[in-house]
PDB file of all heavy atoms in Angstrom:
ATOM      1  N   SER S 222      -4.063 -11.178  -6.235  1.00 51.00           N
ATOM      2  CA  SER S 222      -3.588 -10.562  -4.994  1.00 51.00           C
ATOM      3  C   SER S 222      -2.825 -11.533  -4.104  1.00 51.00           C
ATOM      4  O   SER S 222      -2.126 -11.105  -3.197  1.00 51.00           O
ATOM      5  CB  SER S 222      -4.760  -9.971  -4.219  1.00 51.00           C
ATOM      6  OG  SER S 222      -5.625 -11.004  -3.801  1.00 51.00           O
ATOM      7  N   GLY S 228       3.698 -10.272  -3.411  1.00 75.00           N
ATOM      8  CA  GLY S 228       4.273 -10.048  -2.092  1.00 75.00           C
ATOM      9  C   GLY S 228       5.726  -9.623  -2.167  1.00 75.00           C
ATOM     10  O   GLY S 228       6.171  -8.726  -1.445  1.00 75.00           O
ATOM     11  N   TRP S 233       9.808  -5.301  -1.907  1.00 85.00           N
ATOM     12  CA  TRP S 233      10.873  -4.534  -2.548  1.00 85.00           C
ATOM     13  C   TRP S 233      10.548  -3.038  -2.522  1.00 85.00           C
ATOM     14  O   TRP S 233      11.399  -2.215  -2.201  1.00 85.00           O
ATOM     15  CB  TRP S 233      11.076  -5.009  -3.986  1.00 85.00           C
ATOM     16  CG  TRP S 233      12.139  -4.227  -4.698  1.00 85.00           C
ATOM     17  CD1 TRP S 233      13.477  -4.432  -4.629  1.00 85.00           C
ATOM     18  CD2 TRP S 233      11.946  -3.095  -5.555  1.00 85.00           C
ATOM     19  NE1 TRP S 233      14.135  -3.505  -5.403  1.00 85.00           N
ATOM     20  CE2 TRP S 233      13.218  -2.663  -5.979  1.00 85.00           C
ATOM     21  CE3 TRP S 233      10.830  -2.411  -5.999  1.00 85.00           C
ATOM     22  CZ2 TRP S 233      13.390  -1.581  -6.822  1.00 85.00           C
ATOM     23  CZ3 TRP S 233      11.003  -1.331  -6.841  1.00 85.00           C
ATOM     24  CH2 TRP S 233      12.277  -0.928  -7.248  1.00 85.00           C
ATOM     25  N   VAL S 234       9.306  -2.688  -2.838  1.00 85.00           N
ATOM     26  CA  VAL S 234       8.904  -1.273  -2.830  1.00 85.00           C
ATOM     27  C   VAL S 234       9.047  -0.691  -1.431  1.00 85.00           C
ATOM     28  O   VAL S 234       9.585   0.407  -1.257  1.00 85.00           O
ATOM     29  CB  VAL S 234       7.460  -1.105  -3.362  1.00 85.00           C
ATOM     30  CG1 VAL S 234       6.942   0.302  -3.111  1.00 85.00           C
ATOM     31  CG2 VAL S 234       7.402  -1.437  -4.839  1.00 85.00           C
ATOM     32  N   GLU S 236      10.994  -1.675   0.982  1.00 85.00           N
ATOM     33  CA  GLU S 236      12.422  -1.576   1.288  1.00 85.00           C
ATOM     34  C   GLU S 236      13.029  -0.334   0.637  1.00 85.00           C
ATOM     35  O   GLU S 236      13.776   0.411   1.258  1.00 85.00           O
ATOM     36  CB  GLU S 236      13.147  -2.833   0.815  1.00 85.00           C
ATOM     37  CG  GLU S 236      14.633  -2.833   1.042  1.00 85.00           C
ATOM     38  CD  GLU S 236      15.027  -2.914   2.506  1.00 85.00           C
ATOM     39  OE1 GLU S 236      14.223  -3.415   3.314  1.00 85.00           O
ATOM     40  OE2 GLU S 236      16.136  -2.455   2.839  1.00 85.00           O
ATOM     41  N   LEU S 241      14.411   6.229   1.399  1.00 77.00           N
ATOM     42  CA  LEU S 241      14.218   7.578   0.870  1.00 77.00           C
ATOM     43  C   LEU S 241      13.927   8.630   1.939  1.00 77.00           C
ATOM     44  O   LEU S 241      14.370   9.762   1.838  1.00 77.00           O
ATOM     45  CB  LEU S 241      13.084   7.587  -0.161  1.00 77.00           C
ATOM     46  CG  LEU S 241      13.331   6.760  -1.414  1.00 77.00           C
ATOM     47  CD1 LEU S 241      12.094   6.775  -2.292  1.00 77.00           C
ATOM     48  CD2 LEU S 241      14.526   7.320  -2.184  1.00 77.00           C
ATOM     49  N   ALA S 244       9.665   7.478   7.866  1.00 59.00           N
ATOM     50  CA  ALA S 244       8.252   7.185   7.626  1.00 59.00           C
ATOM     51  C   ALA S 244       7.340   8.295   8.114  1.00 59.00           C
ATOM     52  O   ALA S 244       6.315   8.571   7.504  1.00 59.00           O
ATOM     53  CB  ALA S 244       7.877   5.866   8.282  1.00 59.00           C
ATOM     54  N   LYS S 265       1.864   0.311   8.133  1.00 85.00           N
ATOM     55  CA  LYS S 265       2.729  -0.158   9.217  1.00 85.00           C
ATOM     56  C   LYS S 265       3.989   0.689   9.341  1.00 85.00           C
ATOM     57  O   LYS S 265       4.619   0.723  10.384  1.00 85.00           O
ATOM     58  CB  LYS S 265       3.088  -1.630   9.013  1.00 85.00           C
ATOM     59  CG  LYS S 265       1.916  -2.561   9.248  1.00 85.00           C
ATOM     60  CD  LYS S 265       2.289  -4.005   8.989  1.00 85.00           C
ATOM     61  CE  LYS S 265       1.072  -4.895   9.173  1.00 85.00           C
ATOM     62  NZ  LYS S 265       1.354  -6.290   8.840  1.00 85.00           N
ATOM     63  N   ASN S 267       3.868   3.877   9.123  1.00 82.00           N
ATOM     64  CA  ASN S 267       3.350   5.167   9.593  1.00 82.00           C
ATOM     65  C   ASN S 267       3.445   6.265   8.543  1.00 82.00           C
ATOM     66  O   ASN S 267       3.534   7.438   8.868  1.00 82.00           O
ATOM     67  CB  ASN S 267       4.042   5.608  10.882  1.00 82.00           C
ATOM     68  CG  ASN S 267       3.744   4.680  12.022  1.00 82.00           C
ATOM     69  OD1 ASN S 267       2.619   4.231  12.181  1.00 82.00           O
ATOM     70  ND2 ASN S 267       4.751   4.359  12.807  1.00 82.00           N
ATOM     71  N   LEU S 275      -9.746   2.378  -9.428  1.00 94.00           N
ATOM     72  CA  LEU S 275     -10.943   2.595 -10.238  1.00 94.00           C
ATOM     73  C   LEU S 275     -12.122   1.759  -9.754  1.00 94.00           C
ATOM     74  O   LEU S 275     -13.269   2.118  -9.960  1.00 94.00           O
ATOM     75  CB  LEU S 275     -10.656   2.270 -11.706  1.00 94.00           C
ATOM     76  CG  LEU S 275      -9.713   3.232 -12.417  1.00 94.00           C
ATOM     77  CD1 LEU S 275      -9.426   2.731 -13.835  1.00 94.00           C
ATOM     78  CD2 LEU S 275     -10.294   4.623 -12.458  1.00 94.00           C
ATOM     79  N   ALA S 277     -14.624   0.507  -7.119  1.00 92.00           N
ATOM     80  CA  ALA S 277     -15.190   0.843  -5.813  1.00 92.00           C
ATOM     81  C   ALA S 277     -15.155  -0.370  -4.880  1.00 92.00           C
ATOM     82  O   ALA S 277     -14.962  -0.228  -3.670  1.00 92.00           O
ATOM     83  CB  ALA S 277     -16.619   1.354  -5.977  1.00 92.00           C
ATOM     84  N   ALA S 283     -10.049  -2.611   0.454  1.00 89.00           N
ATOM     85  CA  ALA S 283      -8.813  -2.019   0.981  1.00 89.00           C
ATOM     86  C   ALA S 283      -9.101  -1.256   2.274  1.00 89.00           C
ATOM     87  O   ALA S 283      -8.354  -1.362   3.251  1.00 89.00           O
ATOM     88  CB  ALA S 283      -8.180  -1.095  -0.056  1.00 89.00           C
ATOM     89  N   ARG S 284     -10.174  -0.502   2.275  1.00 91.00           N
ATOM     90  CA  ARG S 284     -10.535   0.258   3.480  1.00 91.00           C
ATOM     91  C   ARG S 284     -10.845  -0.689   4.640  1.00 91.00           C
ATOM     92  O   ARG S 284     -10.482  -0.418   5.777  1.00 91.00           O
ATOM     93  CB  ARG S 284     -11.714   1.174   3.188  1.00 91.00           C
ATOM     94  CG  ARG S 284     -12.054   2.035   4.391  1.00 91.00           C
ATOM     95  CD  ARG S 284     -12.845   3.263   4.065  1.00 91.00           C
ATOM     96  NE  ARG S 284     -11.897   4.250   3.547  1.00 91.00           N
ATOM     97  CZ  ARG S 284     -12.147   5.046   2.538  1.00 91.00           C
ATOM     98  NH1 ARG S 284     -13.292   4.992   1.911  1.00 91.00           N
ATOM     99  NH2 ARG S 284     -11.263   5.916   2.125  1.00 91.00           N
ATOM    100  N   VAL S 291      -6.315   5.904   6.153  1.00 74.00           N
ATOM    101  CA  VAL S 291      -5.785   6.081   4.802  1.00 74.00           C
ATOM    102  C   VAL S 291      -6.788   6.914   4.023  1.00 74.00           C
ATOM    103  O   VAL S 291      -7.989   6.691   4.095  1.00 74.00           O
ATOM    104  CB  VAL S 291      -5.573   4.705   4.110  1.00 74.00           C
ATOM    105  CG1 VAL S 291      -5.161   4.880   2.676  1.00 74.00           C
ATOM    106  CG2 VAL S 291      -4.542   3.908   4.888  1.00 74.00           C
TER     107      VAL S 291
END
Side-chain angles (χ1 to χ4, degrees):
S222 65
W233 179 83
V234 169
E236 178 69 24
L241 296 176
K265 289 178 183 176
N267 295 319
L275 291 176
R284 184 160 281 140
V291 174

